[in-house]
Amino acid sequence: MDGAEFAWSVPADHPAFAGHFPGRPIVPGVLLLDRALLFAEKLLGAPVHRWQIGNAKFLSPVGPGEALVFALRTTPRGGIAFSVRAADREVASGSLTPPAP
């Protein structure tokens, strides 16, 4: 299995914070999934635009400016498993599934 880690810091001025949530901004889960897909393309060296989210768990909120580490690894069935960490806590995990042949 291949794998890699990718670092990303959430920009404090990211437009996703504009309504998510006033007074206590948190990163929307869809933004974490989008980043996981972008990093999957880097890992594979190929587009993943037709891939699906196999599953996703959001375990801890992520705030503006937090530094994240995305760990991705290929699975025996050709998918990708991912986890996202912020410092010492896991914030999300899941899997990405390639399109059926």
Side-chain angles (χ1 to χ4, degrees):
M1 282 188 265
D2 267 338
E5 290 189 347
F6 302 90
W8 181 60
S9 292
V10 182
D13 62 349
H14 194 285
F17 293 125
H20 207 262
F21 291 94
R24 187 171 189 272
I26 62 170
V27 173
V30 69
L31 186 56
L32 298 176
L33 294 174
D34 182 61
R35 281 283 147 182
L37 286 164
L38 291 172
F39 293 140
E41 288 184 341
K42 287 186 178 190
L43 175 66
L44 298 174
V48 296
H49 62 273
R50 294 187 60 221
W51 285 49
Q52 297 180 357
I53 307 301
N55 64 63
K57 294 180 183 179
F58 302 100
L59 308 165
S60 178
V62 176
E66 284 201 71
L68 303 175
V69 175
F70 288 72
L72 282 73
R73 63 177 173 78
T74 57
T75 65
R77 297 187 122 161
I80 293 178
F82 69 89
S83 65
V84 185
R85 298 192 67 76
D88 61 346
R89 71 185 203 284
E90 188 171 13
V91 299
S93 64
S95 64
L96 307 173
T97 307

